């Protein structure tokens, strides 16, 4: 097999048009040969359909599979809680199962993008060895499906990387809101709701995914790794920084409590003491961008305006 750090290495990127994967592709074009697969892309793949996955593996050559495809609407997923016939389970568990089966059959390496939502938020921030869950009543259905996918990968494959990220954000991307764009959109519409001051988070600057993957590959890393801001923050401080950097008035920004929020009926569980520790990936030589510098980079990339 070609050395994974070689420019000739070919990576299949599944879910290539997604918010995280599309930026990965933009920043990785010169480093890897990319086979960009997507639900409606030029190279079509529907991971929920076994035949579609089999055809993708049969028709394209690659060394690594980078699986970005996921159902990520946390609140919409919660409406499907307990339903294995729902789209969230079909994509995040059954779809992953189909890809994993072909990776095992064809002896392909897998890198899987996961989330800090696999933790219940009782004792964060978490390192890679922290037990997922464990209180599933405090884990969202989205988190449970990603947790199940992680278990499936660990049980089935010998060669894999699980890369967990947290509250990802990036520069211009018109398809979907992230942590930065949501704050600015709500502010401009006069609908900025109170931001949680009592939830620990470590947002991931999406531009870090490409260089971190390169380091993981070059080092021959395997197993679970976290990619997130070295600095812990909360949603209130994050939103305040966004408004400050983008020249908006911060006086109207209000504090809200996630503890109070979670007492309400029918709300989506969210980890309170959340966040990811990154000592493991730092030990390999990559230090992720802290959340404040990430916001500054987004401002520069967007020219002060986001679409």
């Amino acid at each position: 097999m070609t050395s994974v750090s070689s420019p000739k290495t070919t990576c299949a990127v599944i879910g290539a048009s997604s918010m995280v994967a599309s930026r990965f592709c933009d920043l990785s074009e010169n480093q890897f040969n990319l086979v960009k697969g997507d639900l409606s892309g030029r190279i079509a793949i529907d991971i929920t359909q076994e035949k579609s996955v089999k055809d993708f593996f049969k028709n394209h050559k690659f060394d690594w599979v980078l699986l970005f495809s996921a159902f990520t609407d946390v609140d919409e997923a919660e409406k499907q809680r307990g339903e294995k016939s729902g789209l969230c389970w079909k994509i995040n568990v059954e779809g992953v199962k189909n890809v994993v089966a072909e990776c095992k059959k064809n002896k392909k390496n897998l890198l899987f993008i996961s989330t800090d939502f696999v933790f219940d938020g009782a004792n964060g921030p978490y390192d890679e060895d922290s037990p997922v869950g464990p209180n599933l009543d405090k884990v969202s259905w989205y988190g449970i499906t990603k947790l199940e996918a992680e278990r499936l990968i660990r049980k089935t494959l010998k060669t894999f990387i699980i890369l967990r990220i947290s509250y990802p954000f990036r520069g211009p991307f018109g398809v979907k809101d992230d942590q930065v764009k949501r704050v600015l959109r709500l502010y401009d519409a006069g609908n900025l709701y109170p931001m949680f001051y009592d939830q620990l988070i470590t947002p991931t600057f999406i531009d870090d995914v490409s260089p971190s993957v390169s380091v993981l590959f070059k080092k021959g890393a395997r197993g679970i790794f976290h990619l997130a801001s070295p600095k812990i923050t909360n949603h209130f401080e994050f939103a305040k920084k966004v408004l400050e950097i983008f020249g908006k008035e911060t006086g109207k920004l209000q504090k809200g409590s996630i503890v109070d929020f979670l007492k309400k009926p029918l709300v989506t569980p969210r980890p309170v003491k959340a966040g990811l520790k990154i000592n493991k990936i730092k030990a390999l030589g990559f230090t992720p961008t802290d959340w404040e510098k990430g916001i500054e980079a987004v401002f520069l990339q967007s020219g002060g305006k986001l679409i």
Side-chain angles (χ1 to χ4, degrees), residues 201-216:
I201 60 172
T202 51
T204 300
F205 183 41
I206 291 174
D207 284 25
D208 283 347
V209 175
S210 177
S212 69
V213 168
S214 295
V215 169
L216 290 169

Side-chain angles (χ1 to χ4, degrees), residues 110-127:
L110 175 67
L111 184 145
F112 176 70
I113 299 295
S114 193
T115 171
D116 62 331
F117 271 50
V118 298
F119 299 111
D120 63 17
N123 296 296
Y126 297 93
D127 62 30

Side-chain angles (χ1 to χ4, degrees), residues 6-18:
S6 164
K8 295 183 179 179
T9 298
T10 301
C11 297
V13 181
I14 300 179
S17 68
S18 66

Side-chain angles (χ1 to χ4, degrees), residues 7-290:
K8 295 183 179 179
T9 298
T10 301
C11 297
V13 181
I14 300 179
S17 68
S18 66
M19 183 173 71
V20 180
S22 60
R23 188 59 175 159
F24 169 84
C25 291
D26 289 344
L27 298 176
S28 301
E29 290 281 8
N30 295 328
Q31 185 150 10
F32 305 113
N33 292 326
L34 301 178
V35 178
K36 302 177 188 178
D38 219 339
L39 189 61
S40 57
R42 185 176 62 83
I43 301 176
I45 176 172
D46 181 349
I47 65 171
T48 68
Q49 301 298 315
E50 187 175 346
K51 183 179 185 303
S52 178
V53 176
K54 286 180 179 292
D55 288 345
F56 181 83
F57 274 74
K58 181 175 68 175
N59 295 332
H60 304 282
K61 294 182 179 180
F62 43 81
D63 302 309
W64 278 82
V65 177
L66 278 56
L67 183 51
F68 290 87
S69 295
F71 188 107
T72 59
D73 187 330
V74 178
D75 290 325
E76 189 62 35
E78 199 61 24
K79 298 174 184 177
Q80 305 170 28
R81 193 175 187 93
E83 297 179 10
K84 294 187 178 181
S85 60
L87 190 59
C88 182
W89 184 274
K90 285 184 177 180
I91 294 173
N92 291 356
V93 181
E94 296 299 331
V96 173
K97 184 178 181 180
N98 289 334
V99 174
V100 166
E102 288 303 303
C103 283
K104 183 177 181 181
K105 176 183 175 183
N106 294 280
K107 296 182 172 59
K108 302 298 182 184
N109 306 312
L110 175 67
L111 184 145
F112 176 70
I113 299 295
S114 193
T115 171
D116 62 331
F117 271 50
V118 298
F119 299 111
D120 63 17
N123 296 296
Y126 297 93
D127 62 30
E128 290 84 352
D129 295 325
S130 300
V132 293
N135 185 349
L136 297 186
D137 289 338
K138 293 186 177 181
V139 178
S140 66
W141 184 240
Y142 162 72
I144 289 172
T145 63
K146 298 294 281 189
L147 180 157
E148 288 297 324
E150 286 192 9
R151 287 177 174 168
L152 176 67
I153 292 166
R154 297 174 70 180
K155 180 179 69 174
T156 309
L157 299 179
K158 294 181 179 179
T159 305
F160 67 85
I161 296 172
I162 293 172
L163 186 63
R164 293 184 183 135
I165 62 177
S166 171
Y167 290 101
F169 66 99
R170 58 169 287 182
F173 182 69
V175 180
K176 180 182 179 182
D177 277 355
D178 60 26
Q179 294 305 105
V180 173
K181 281 181 274 294
R182 182 177 297 110
V183 169
L184 293 172
R185 177 176 58 79
L186 291 172
Y187 177 91
D188 288 343
N191 296 324
L192 190 59
Y193 48 74
M195 294 289 169
F196 299 140
Y197 68 89
D198 53 354
Q199 181 186 19
L200 301 180
I201 60 172
T202 51
T204 300
F205 183 41
I206 291 174
D207 284 25
D208 283 347
V209 175
S210 177
S212 69
V213 168
S214 295
V215 169
L216 290 169
F217 284 178
K218 289 175 182 177
K219 298 288 186 177
R222 302 291 184 269
I224 300 175
F225 291 86
H226 290 169
L227 180 68
S229 168
K231 289 183 182 178
I232 298 172
T233 188
N234 57 63
H235 289 283
F236 178 83
E237 292 299 332
F238 188 92
K240 183 179 179 182
K241 187 70 173 180
V242 170
L243 296 178
E244 287 175 350
I245 289 179
F246 279 80
K248 309 289 186 180
E249 174 59 49
T250 62
K252 295 182 180 180
L253 180 63
Q254 299 178 355
K255 290 184 177 180
S257 170
I258 191 172
V259 175
D260 292 341
F261 175 79
L262 292 174
K263 292 177 182 177
K264 297 178 181 180
L266 303 176
V267 299
T268 302
R270 282 172 167 80
V272 178
K273 293 181 180 178
L276 300 173
K277 294 180 181 178
I278 57 164
N279 293 339
K280 193 173 176 183
I281 201 165
K282 282 180 69 177
L284 293 180
F286 183 80
T287 300
T289 305
D290 77 59

